[in-house]
């Protein structure tokens, strides 16, 4: 897939980071093991950091100006 993050990784990441769901809740919802949920969150985080690395100086500047 040409997406930065596959839709499955994206769903797991959003559920954890933005919907405050636990690994156990996500695992049950998507029929995954908790280990797979943890791995997916790690992978999504890594991909997101890589995709946004060029914006880090801008974010740092904006944070300092706020």
């Amino acid at each position: 897939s040409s997406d930065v993050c596959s839709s499955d990784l994206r769903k797991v990441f959003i559920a954890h980071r933005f919907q405050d769901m636990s690994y156990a809740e996500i695992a049950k919802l998507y029929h995954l093991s908790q280990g797979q949920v943890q791995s997916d969150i790690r992978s999504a985080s890594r991909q997101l950091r890589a995709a946004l690395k060029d914006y880090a100086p801008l974010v740092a500047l904006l944070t300092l100006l706020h």
Side-chain angles (χ1 to χ4, degrees):
S1 163
S2 64
D3 288 346
V4 170
C5 193
S6 78
S7 66
D8 290 341
L9 290 180
R10 186 178 296 120
K11 284 189 280 192
V12 169
F13 182 83
I14 289 171
H16 181 63
R17 295 292 168 97
F18 298 107
Q19 298 172 344
D20 294 323
M21 293 177 70
S22 69
Y23 290 176
E25 291 169 325
I26 297 166
K28 184 176 180 183
L29 178 65
Y30 294 117
H31 308 287
L32 301 167
S33 69
Q34 288 187 46
Q36 184 62 53
V37 169
Q38 185 175 13
S39 175
D40 286 355
I41 291 168
R42 243 193 330 266
S43 294
S45 296
R46 197 174 304 120
Q47 290 179 24
L48 187 58
R49 273 194 305 276
L52 297 177
K53 70 179 169 29
D54 294 336
Y55 295 97
L58 176 61
V59 170
L61 177 62
L62 292 174
T63 302
L64 290 172
L65 295 176
H66 183 68

